[in-house]
Amino acid sequence: MLKSSRMWKFATPIKHQIPDTRWPTAAESSRSLLFRPIRVCQVTLSSRTWVPAMVPWRATEDGFVTQDNLDWYRRFARGRPAALVLEATGIRDIPSGPLLRIGHDRFLPGLKKLVDTVRKASDGQTKLFIQIIDFLAVKRRPDRSKYFQRFLQITDYHRHSLSELTDDSTWKHADEQRVRGWLAQASEETVARVLDDRELEALRFGYRERVTDTHLPHIKELPQALPRIFADAAGRARAAGFDGVELHYAHAYTMAGFHSARNDRGDGYGGARENRVRLPLEVYRAVREKVGDDYAVGVRFLADEVIAGGNRINDASYFGVEFAKAGFDYLSLSKGGKFEDAEQPKVGQAVYPYTGQSGYECMPTTLSDARGPFGRAVPLVAQIKQAVNLAGFETPVVATGGITTFDQAEAILQNNDADIIGMARQALADPDWFRKVRSGHGNEVRRCTYTNYCEALDQAHRQVTCKLWDRKELDESGITLSPDGRRRLVAPDWNDHI
């Protein structure tokens, strides 16, 4: 059995049960808001059901679509959600491991095949969007001796610090190797007094770039480079046949860094909120110019960063209104998932932005506080929707996070807290949730237990599956197994009785 991931926990957690529910009849479903169509730009969704982006770790090391990718998305499409968002797909033509990429035309044939696969599997009922993302460098936590011998840049600051600490003036003129050797043998307390905060972070967590590292030319030039890179990727998305593109402005990645209240760049792209939203809007305008007004362009951003000094709901509401005003076709909300409060990784592993409290709020489990994990972010989503509507815009808002039953989803829509319901972990547990509930077979839904088994696989960069089905029917013909042969990679088919 997979070991649970390192994840932040409440001091005195309360164990919650998945909620009891009564599933609707087919007639009740047909009368519901959840299964009523909604328009997103030129795209008409057959219902208000939505599968947000999830990274399954199934691409090649070079970012190409594989048969495992096709099988993964085909299985979701068979469940007939109205919309399915392709995983975060890299916009730069750089190595990024087994994650899909769209930074060059050579990726288009595979992406086109993926679009065709989803259309065929859903009989054209599922619209396919692609989430496009930029990210900065994140290095693995180094071995202590290697860090001091190879990675730390020795400066006069270190020499003077050692001189003061040891009351030995010879350190002021010491050669690099002497300084490196001494630090490699020093105590943690001594090292903490000699290194600055970023150097300590690089030692303890691994080196990580920030959008505020403007001393690095490629970071300083991001506002000039990213609009074109995003726009080119969006153009490829349209050429590949996707029904729309979602700009990833959430969690621990580049665009969220520009959003963040912790962004203090002094070049007009940091500080005040109107400066922090400047690049996100410039990226949007470049994308819109590239794909045209008749193509759906949405955004995924945070309702709350859940970190010290980060954005809160007032910031998110402001951004939501600005995005609606600019012309985004939908707003999809998430929460947390930041590097700043992540747990320390083991040596040789990279820091994972879903291990701190912000990570918990992004993917809450049934070990929770009194509020519990279900629909935990919905009140924030409702505030953002209200701000957008009061500003005179009807931009559809997507709610996600611990939404698992029909009654829960329908109540969110009836209360006007959101316009579309997103299910990630529940859809992974049962890709047929949408067909089962719509046809009156909700009692056959495979209920997600919100233990984050899937998240632990993601953290380990292993192919993501669900514990509720990945050991079932392993002898079924035609299925693909994980490299160790112990897990199936897609859920068993449903005998739908229809």
Side-chain angles (χ1 to χ4, degrees):
M1 179 63 67
L2 183 76
K3 294 181 180 180
S4 62
S5 62
R6 302 185 307 278
M7 176 65 80
W8 180 91
K9 293 180 175 63
F10 290 99
T12 55
I14 300 169
K15 176 66 174 178
H16 292 259
Q17 301 300 315
I18 59 173
D20 292 332
T21 192
R22 181 195 67 83
W23 296 103
T25 65
E28 289 172 324
S29 290
S30 68
R31 295 192 297 268
S32 70
L33 272 179
L34 183 63
F35 291 106
R36 184 176 299 174
I38 187 171
R39 196 163 177 80
V40 177
C41 190
Q42 300 298 312
V43 179
T44 298
L45 304 183
S46 61
S47 69
R48 313 297 181 96
T49 59
W50 187 279
V51 178
M54 291 178 276
V55 173
W57 297 100
R58 281 162 168 76
T60 70
E61 287 292 328
D62 297 323
F64 288 96
V65 171
T66 64
Q67 185 62 46
D68 285 344
N69 285 123
L70 300 178
D71 293 343
W72 170 265
Y73 288 104
R74 179 188 292 110
R75 186 64 189 87
F76 281 106
R78 284 176 179 165
R80 306 293 200 276
L84 173 60
V85 185
L86 196 75
E87 65 203 69
T89 302
I91 62 172
R92 294 180 190 265
D93 194 19
I94 57 174
S96 52
L99 303 173
L100 289 177
R101 286 157 55 186
I102 194 170
H104 189 276
D105 287 351
R106 68 178 180 277
F107 299 109
L108 286 179
L111 293 170
K112 288 178 179 178
K113 188 173 183 180
L114 200 157
V115 171
D116 291 341
T117 296
V118 167
R119 288 209 176 112
K120 183 177 179 180
S122 69
D123 291 330
Q125 293 184 39
T126 296
K127 304 302 182 184
L128 186 62
F129 297 79
I130 181 172
Q131 185 183 78
I132 58 176
I133 186 174
D134 183 70
F135 41 82
L136 302 179
V138 179
K139 304 297 184 182
R140 299 174 188 272
R141 180 186 170 191
D143 174 82
R144 193 175 192 271
S145 61
K146 287 183 179 179
Y147 176 75
F148 286 114
Q149 289 301 322
R150 295 171 52 189
F151 301 132
L152 179 64
Q153 294 186 9
I154 303 300
T155 67
D156 286 343
Y157 170 83
H158 301 116
R159 294 183 174 93
H160 283 281
S161 295
L162 282 174
S163 178
E164 292 179 6
L165 184 65
T166 62
D167 197 25
D168 181 353
S169 62
T170 63
W171 282 112
K172 294 180 180 179
H173 307 289
D175 63 52
E176 272 196 22
Q177 287 308 310
R178 183 187 173 198
V179 175
R180 293 182 186 281
W182 194 92
L183 286 172
Q185 301 300 317
S187 68
E188 285 293 321
E189 180 182 1
T190 298
V191 167
R193 295 174 65 182
V194 175
L195 304 188
D196 65 25
D197 289 344
R198 290 294 295 277
E199 291 166 341
L200 274 174
E201 180 189 275
L203 170 63
R204 295 171 176 173
F205 288 81
Y207 172 74
R208 175 172 63 85
E209 290 180 342
R210 293 163 166 79
V211 301
T212 50
D213 291 338
T214 52
H215 62 286
L216 301 174
H218 68 283
I219 299 293
K220 182 179 181 180
E221 295 164 5
L222 284 173
Q224 289 71 50
L226 285 178
R228 177 188 58 79
I229 298 173
F230 267 98
D232 287 347
R236 293 187 189 100
R238 180 157 196 170
F242 288 93
D243 296 290
V245 63
E246 179 175 285
L247 309 187
H248 196 330
Y249 289 0
H251 306 312
Y253 311 109
T254 308
M255 297 305 296
F258 276 93
H259 267 172
S260 178
R262 295 171 66 113
N263 170 18
D264 60 358
R265 288 178 66 121
D267 58 355
Y269 288 94
R273 284 193 308 210
E274 55 268 26
N275 291 340
R276 304 198 316 268
V277 79
R278 181 180 171 190
L279 181 60
L281 291 177
E282 289 177 355
V283 166
Y284 166 74
R285 286 193 285 268
V287 167
R288 179 60 75 194
E289 183 177 357
K290 187 77 171 185
V291 300
D293 293 335
D294 61 341
Y295 190 67
V297 180
V299 59
R300 179 81 159 160
F301 70 107
L302 295 177
D304 189 336
E305 286 194 286
V306 200
I307 53 172
N311 292 338
R312 294 293 178 263
I313 184 60
N314 289 341
D315 300 283
S317 295
Y318 169 81
F319 295 141
V321 171
E322 290 301 307
F323 292 155
K325 186 187 304 181
F328 273 102
D329 294 305
Y330 69 83
L331 311 178
S332 179
L333 278 303
S334 187
K335 188 180 181 185
K338 304 294 290 184
F339 282 122
E340 284 80 358
D341 66 347
E343 295 288 332
Q344 184 182 38
K346 295 179 180 179
V347 171
Q349 295 183 359
V351 65
Y352 183 68
Y354 303 97
T355 47
Q357 184 175 2
S358 73
Y360 174 86
E361 294 292 348
C362 184
M363 291 180 281
T365 72
T366 49
L367 283 176
S368 188
D369 58 7
R371 290 162 57 201
F374 303 108
R376 194 174 175 91
V378 170
L380 300 178
V381 175
Q383 289 186 58
I384 294 167
K385 176 173 167 54
Q386 182 181 42
V388 168
N389 293 162
L390 286 174
F393 303 102
E394 297 182 357
T395 311
V397 174
V398 184
T400 62
I403 303 174
T404 179
T405 71
F406 170 83
D407 285 344
Q408 181 190 13
E410 184 68 8
I412 292 168
L413 298 175
Q414 292 287 350
N415 293 337
N416 202 32
D417 291 337
D419 302 287
I420 298 171
I421 300 299
M423 295 181 180
R425 287 174 291 175
Q426 177 54 68
L428 174 60
D430 193 342
D432 297 305
W433 189 100
F434 314 98
R435 294 176 65 207
K436 288 176 179 178
V437 174
R438 190 167 200 163
S439 64
H441 293 88
N443 62 313
E444 298 183 39
V445 166
R446 187 186 298 112
R447 302 283 302 280
C448 177
T449 56
Y450 295 92
T451 61
N452 280 2
Y453 171 93
C454 52
E455 182 269 344
L457 288 164
D458 177 56
Q459 183 175 341
H461 293 188
R462 296 169 64 185
Q463 292 159 315
V464 173
T465 53
C466 176
K467 70 176 184 179
L468 300 179
W469 52 254
D470 67 0
R471 309 300 171 105
K472 306 289 187 183
E473 303 172 32
L474 294 182
D475 58 351
E476 180 184 334
S477 64
I479 66 169
T480 304
L481 301 177
S482 59
D484 61 7
R486 299 177 62 187
R487 296 182 294 125
R488 62 182 299 146
L489 295 184
V490 297
D493 287 331
W494 175 50
N495 182 9
D496 57 16
H497 317 292
I498 299 173

